[in-house]
Amino acid sequence: MRQSVPRPVTKIRFSTIFCAVFTNAAILTWMMILPVLGGLAILALPATQARKARTLAMLFCLVIFLLSVLAATRLDWNKSSYEVSDGAGGGGTGHAQLVLNCDWIRSVGAHYFVGVDGLSMPLVLLATGMMLVACWASYGIGKSQRGYFALLLF
């Protein structure tokens, strides 16, 4: 008769989860998922707590902006320039960074691919910064606050 050997218990540490969630490849994905989650969270607020929509939207905008700053600090700006090629196409060769490329629908060969380069990273910072400013400037909205701030995040 075979005796079963107990397996060692694997302890999951917070630092392991934090590093897995905020890897270079996952930052851009979180920047796309969080506005949708924030908009859904705002729409899920009861009508009696509509004033909390402002604070919740501002919180989500701030987190998304901080993620974009984190992504910008992890970008290797020395590899981000475009080099002019001598080929007939006349295009340059860019270097995408913070890339996440995985199979999405294998039957049709679809992939989930996201990444940034030196030209798009300043635009990402600009867009997330403007979203933060727009949310702050919209604190005077009085009617349909939940709908307004949810649409701002979507």
Side-chain angles (χ1 to χ4, degrees), residues 15 44 48 63-64 70 85 96 109 113 123 128 135 141:
S15 60
T48 58
V63 168
I64 295 163
L70 178 65
S85 67
F113 182 85
L123 297 174
T128 57
C135 188
I141 299 294

Side-chain angles (χ1 to χ4, degrees), residues 42-80:
I42 288 172
L43 288 177
L45 285 174
T48 58
Q49 297 180 347
R51 295 189 63 89
K52 291 184 180 180
R54 298 174 183 177
T55 307
L56 195 57
M58 190 67 174
L59 179 69
F60 272 93
C61 288
L62 182 63
V63 168
I64 295 163
F65 177 71
L66 291 176
L67 280 176
S68 69
V69 171
L70 178 65
T73 60
R74 292 189 178 181
L75 190 76
D76 185 3
W77 292 94
N78 293 326
K79 292 182 179 179
S80 62

